[in-house]
Amino acid sequence: MPTETTIPIDADTVLWCSGLTKDFTDIWGRPTVRSLEDFSMSVQRGEIFGLLGPNGAGKTTTIKLILGLIFPTAGQVRVLGADPRDVESKQRIGYLPEESYLHRFLNAEETLDLYGRLFDLPKEVRVERSAKLIERVGLKHARKRPLKEYSKGMVRRVGLATCLINDPELILLDEPTSGMDPILSREIKDLILDLRAQGKTVLLSSHLLGDVEDLCDRVVMLYRGRKQLEGKVSDLLEVGEVTEVSVKNLSDTAAQAIRAEALKHGGEVVDTHRRRERLETLFMRVVERERSKN
Amino acid sequence: MLTFLAAMTPGTQPEETWPAITLVWVCIGTLLAILVWPRGRGRRLARQIFAVAVLAFREGLRLKVLWTVALMALLLGGLAFFTDADGTHAGRAFVILNYCLSSGEVLGAMLVVLLSALSVAREIESRVMHTFGTKPIPRWGILLGKALGFWSIEILFILGLAGFTALLVRAVPMRPEARSSGMTRTGTWKDLRRNALTTRQFNVSDAEAGATARMKLIKAGSSQTWFFTTTPEMSKGEDVSVRLLLSSTVTFASHIENLGIKIGFENEPLLIDVVKKVPQDRPFELYIPVEQMNRNGRLAVTLIPSAKGKTAPSVAGSVKMGIAADGLYANLLKSVLLIALQGWILAIITTSWSGILSFPVTVALGLILVLGGEMSRQVLDILQAGTQRATTISMDSADVSVPKQVADQLRFMLQLLPDFRVAGGPTAFVEGEFVSMWVLAKAVLMMGLVRGIGWAIPGIVLFQHREVGR
């Protein structure tokens, strides 16, 4: 039964669900597992919204309910103002499943052409957009090879391209960087940020905390099918009582003096250290350096 | 409503051509719906369905089952070519046509069932449907597109097989004829084409119908004459056949000895004047060249059973005049249409049900559809053969069409499953049965549109409400 009836719906609400519950049943219709329980959320236009949770939390179930691949036991969903089973609204949605389930006998160009036809794109638009997307995902050299000869990462790139072939308003990405190498992960993250810059709305489902932290404006966290928390990433991660100060070119003596001053003002020095860069940043820097050499 | 529609179509009689008229208007209505659907959604949907059909077509071409089936069909045809049958070229041609078309019918049906069942079920199990099913095409559009794609493969297969069959039949006269028929020559291609491979319409003028449709008893030594009104246009540029079906009081004899046959126009020299041994209880034909038939006149066919011997048998005979209707290629085309019709029924039914059933269950359903129709045909053929035998020796002139009516009723009752044999089946022409375009239109309408789509609708509706994301 829906409990959160105060979820606002306005013109900028791209995705809305209220009291969403999903029970999977056996062949006799008896419920076997409750995958989602009384889940409500709304996603605003132009934001990157994160669905966070461990494996089995109900993230993929939520996405499938949004797309109409499965149907809710209770609750309501509205996607771009329409029911998930509405065919017309799918014209403006892009979806990247957690595994790219594509026709393996087609090559990248043919796959994009097929999905472009399903979106009824004119031929010129299909051809131009396919070429741009293939180049964007770095598959120009392999566009004529059948997908069965692709690596997992390459298939994923094709999946990403098909997700964007219709220039969608709302993009649903289910574990987009799962199983990807750091380079591809970075590229996908940059692409997602680029999509937001274009004014598109992204719903991102992931159990990789770093990705969610890097990308999302707001997140909701699921655990065992129930919502645990929701809010802006910046607000959720802020540790209110700790202030971080970053200073360059500071000698050890000056650092000691700053510690003493903090103690004098009643502060408790938790930690002082030289800043560490992220491993991803280091990795990318090394790769770029090697690339520039070649 | 149908009368009104028929009245809108000039030059037709509703009671004769309603299936064809209805089919035409259904096609026009569908086209209009596609064109005038608001905001062009009809045309968009048609393009999307076409995209799915192309995908299914390409997918089917890759599957080994297609090439295995094609190879089997070629092998069967090749084997049929090298059989001697009854030693005549006509017999060899009939064996080739029967083997090739029958195998094409069964193999084509198997092909469609396997392709249709495999595709949708596999896409749901492999989760390709997760990507496919989130696109702006209704689920029934996906099913329809796939059915069209796989059906196209079957059409390609049977067209190829029909072409191969035509080549084999055409090559029959290249082999020496082991034995020629005493009644009709089929040694050369010209004779084979005219005497064996051309289907004829045995229409008679209304004035003669009462006289020629029934068997007439002829006592030994006496004679009986049948008359046919001829016009220059009736021959349609082909030799005209006179078909005789005779039976005698010597019930178990295979032939009637010394039967006199005289054929000619009134008050003119006879065109045919022979005394010969003729087959009993099997129709046989004599041919009159087209140049002798292209005239207004009254053709007389006289039969004179021999009076030789103490117990010369009486003969019962019927005579019909046959006008060339379809040649080999036209008959093959109609066979292709009938096999394609069956393929469409199977494609749309198995594709729609494969959306909710597993692959093995869908294949089983397809087999039942194929074999169920075949079984009902076998039963009806046996029943019809029995009643026809009774008719040939019956002197009851009240109504010789009763056995056919009984068979038709039985056929209707036993057609519990889709059976396209309302038009006689793809090998009907081998037995000399002419299939008119109106009968084909009726088959397309009743079997293809009504029965095929009717059986598929529950599967389509259930697939609309199926969770494909589990």
Side-chain angles (χ1 to χ4, degrees), chain B residues 429-441:
Chain B
F429 77 92
V430 178
E431 306 300 326
E433 190 174 331
F434 167 70
V435 177
S436 71
M437 288 307 293
W438 305 134
V439 171
L440 268 182

Side-chain angles (χ1 to χ4, degrees), chain B residues 373-386:
Chain B
E374 187 63 25
M375 281 161 56
S376 66
R377 185 188 75 83
Q378 296 283 354
V379 170
L380 287 167
D381 284 350
I382 291 169
L383 287 171
Q384 197 157 15

Side-chain angles (χ1 to χ4, degrees), chain B residues 10 30 42 91 106 114 121 139 189 265 267 279 292 298 302 386 412 427 469-470:
Chain B
T30 305
V106 174
L114 286 172
R139 291 191 185 181
W189 170 248
F265 284 94
N267 304 320
Q292 291 172 345
R298 209 159 172 245
T302 304
F412 179 78
T427 56
R470 296 188 68 167

Side-chain angles (χ1 to χ4, degrees), chain A residues 22 24-25 64 68-71 85 87-88 90-91 101 103 105-106 110 115 117-120, chain B residues 44 47-48 51 55 58 62 123 126-128 130-131 134-136 139 465-470:
Chain A
K22 178 60 185 174
F24 286 102
T25 58
K64 288 179 181 178
L69 292 174
I70 56 177
F71 312 132
R85 284 189 251 187
V87 172
E88 290 300 312
K90 289 185 167 58
Q91 194 78 24
Y101 309 114
H103 296 91
F105 60 93
L106 298 176
E110 291 164 343
Y115 287 102
R117 284 172 183 265
L118 292 181
F119 284 108
D120 198 38
Chain B
R44 190 184 81 193
R47 286 191 291 265
Q48 289 170 319
L55 174 72
R58 295 185 60 183
R62 290 183 58 255
E123 284 188 359
S126 66
R127 300 185 184 183
V128 169
H130 287 196
T131 311
T134 56
K135 300 300 175 277
R139 291 191 185 181
H465 299 284
R466 178 186 173 169
E467 292 185 331
V468 297
R470 296 188 68 167

